Structure formats: structure tokens, C-alpha cells
Amino acid sequence: MPQSPGIAEEELIKQCKKGSLKYQEMLYKRFYGYAMGISLRYSLNKDDALEVVNDSFLKVFKAIESYNSDKPFKAWLRTIIVNTAIDRRRKELKYLQNIDLENAPPLTNAAKAIENLNLQDILNLMNELPPLQLAIFNLYEIDGYNHDEIGTLLNIPVSSSRVYLSRAKEKLRTLIKSESQNDVRTVG
């Protein structure tokens, strides 16, 4: 999406606070890529990510009066996007069957085999994680939330956050190992 060159971020925000639809559109276009990048980490597909982005910008425009211009706009926007994505995920998780963690099989130690994979391979493998594991992995490893914060955000026990993160990492190790073995077979 094209950006609005020549117009300062502060001016865009000022005009959005006045309710200018033209400037709201320009703000949306300027931060669309940034917002989509964040949203894709929490969404199952591009359509879901787009809904999160659009819902987030609706929230931004409703709450822009309360935005403190002493703080970075991107950080404020990022918080809204992450919270919107988590709220959406929380609604989806209500419909997923909960697994009894006490009866789940124990984790194994898989070897790390990441050197032959590129970033896109890793992102594709991450998308194979179950939705809750993917959300927790993103929150903890990418966005820096701690388990207490994740538990509160997703309305799950802190211990469950730790277990799901551990399972996500184990599944990624297994997927990476499998992927690297496939690469060796196709090369050899």
C-alpha cells in the first residue's frame, strides 16, 4: 500500500484526532504493512490477519483521542493489534477442545537441525503448530511477554502457558528435524 510521503506522523495523528477520514485513510495506509506483519503472527491465515488489522484500526480511530503523543505511536498501535489478535484468538479457543495436560504424553528431546532452513521455511513450520501453541510461542518468544502476562491475556493458568510453550518448541524441533532430513534425502 502506498504511504503518505511528506506528511509527518504527528500531523497525521493530529488530523485523525480531528476526525478527518482522509487522514485516517493515510494513517491506515502508512501503518498497514507494520500492522499486517504483527497480525500474521497471531492469525491462522491472511483473511483472519486482515480482520485483526481492520478491527485494530477501528479501535485506533475510536481511541486516538487518548493517545499520548509523548510515547511512540508504533508501540501504541502494536499493543492494540496484539490485544485485538489475542481477543480474537480467545474467542476461537472457546470452541477448540481443551486437552487435559495431566494426561498428555511426556515431551521428548529432539535434536536441533535448523542450519539448512531459511526464514520462510521456519515461518511455514510455525504455521503447523496448533493455534494455542502458536499464540503462546509468539507472545513469549517474539513479543517478550512473560508467562504471568500470557496467562492473564489468554485466561489460562501460568503452568499451562509454560507447558504449551514447551510443547510448541518440541513440535518445532520435530518439524525442523523432519524438514532437514527431507532436504538431505532430496540432495543425496
Side-chain angles (χ1 to χ4, degrees):
M1 288 208 162
Q3 293 192 359
S4 16
I7 299 174
E9 183 178 301
E10 297 79 23
E11 182 64 19
L12 282 173
I13 293 167
K14 178 181 167 188
Q15 294 300 324
C16 287
K17 285 184 175 186
K18 291 181 179 180
S20 169
L21 295 178
K22 174 184 171 186
Y23 282 85
Q24 287 178 354
E25 180 181 358
M26 289 193 305
L27 187 81
Y28 177 91
K29 287 179 179 179
R30 179 171 290 180
F31 291 99
Y32 173 83
Y34 175 75
M36 186 58 99
I38 294 167
S39 181
L40 282 168
R41 290 198 315 255
Y42 293 94
S43 303
L44 299 175
N45 56 52
K46 285 186 180 179
D47 291 336
D48 288 344
L50 183 58
E51 283 187 40
V52 167
V53 167
N54 289 335
D55 290 348
S56 296
F57 274 102
L58 288 174
K59 290 177 183 179
V60 164
F61 297 134
K62 284 182 184 176
I64 197 142
E65 285 294 324
S66 67
Y67 166 67
N68 178 356
S69 58
D70 294 337
K71 304 212 184 231
F73 179 75
K74 273 186 160 181
W76 185 68
L77 175 62
R78 180 180 173 275
T79 301
I80 291 173
I81 296 165
V82 168
N83 288 336
T84 301
I86 288 170
D87 288 344
R88 182 177 172 88
R89 175 71 65 201
R90 193 179 297 136
K91 287 177 189 172
E92 292 170 357
L93 292 175
K94 285 181 184 178
Y95 302 105
L96 294 177
Q97 183 180 17
N98 287 332
I99 299 171
D100 183 6
L101 295 178
E102 299 299 320
N103 297 326
L107 299 174
T108 62
N109 291 326
K112 293 181 182 180
I114 199 165
E115 54 273 349
N116 294 328
L117 300 177
N118 64 35
L119 177 60
Q120 190 58 50
D121 293 332
I122 294 168
L123 292 174
N124 290 339
L125 293 175
M126 284 176 60
N127 286 332
E128 292 187 35
L129 291 174
L132 184 57
Q133 288 180 13
L134 179 60
I136 291 170
F137 182 86
N138 280 328
L139 286 167
Y140 188 85
E141 294 294 341
I142 296 172
D143 291 322
Y145 286 87
N146 65 41
H147 289 294
D148 291 329
E149 294 167 324
I150 294 170
T152 301
L153 284 169
L154 297 179
N155 197 25
I156 61 173
V158 173
S159 60
S160 294
S161 175
R162 286 187 178 97
V163 169
Y164 283 122
L165 177 63
S166 185
R167 294 224 168 103
K169 288 179 177 181
E170 182 64 27
K171 179 157 180 134
L172 282 173
R173 283 184 201 103
T174 302
L175 290 169
I176 289 169
K177 184 177 180 181
S178 173
E179 186 71 20
S180 66
Q181 287 174 347
N182 288 341
D183 288 346
V184 169
R185 278 188 233 128
T186 56
V187 172

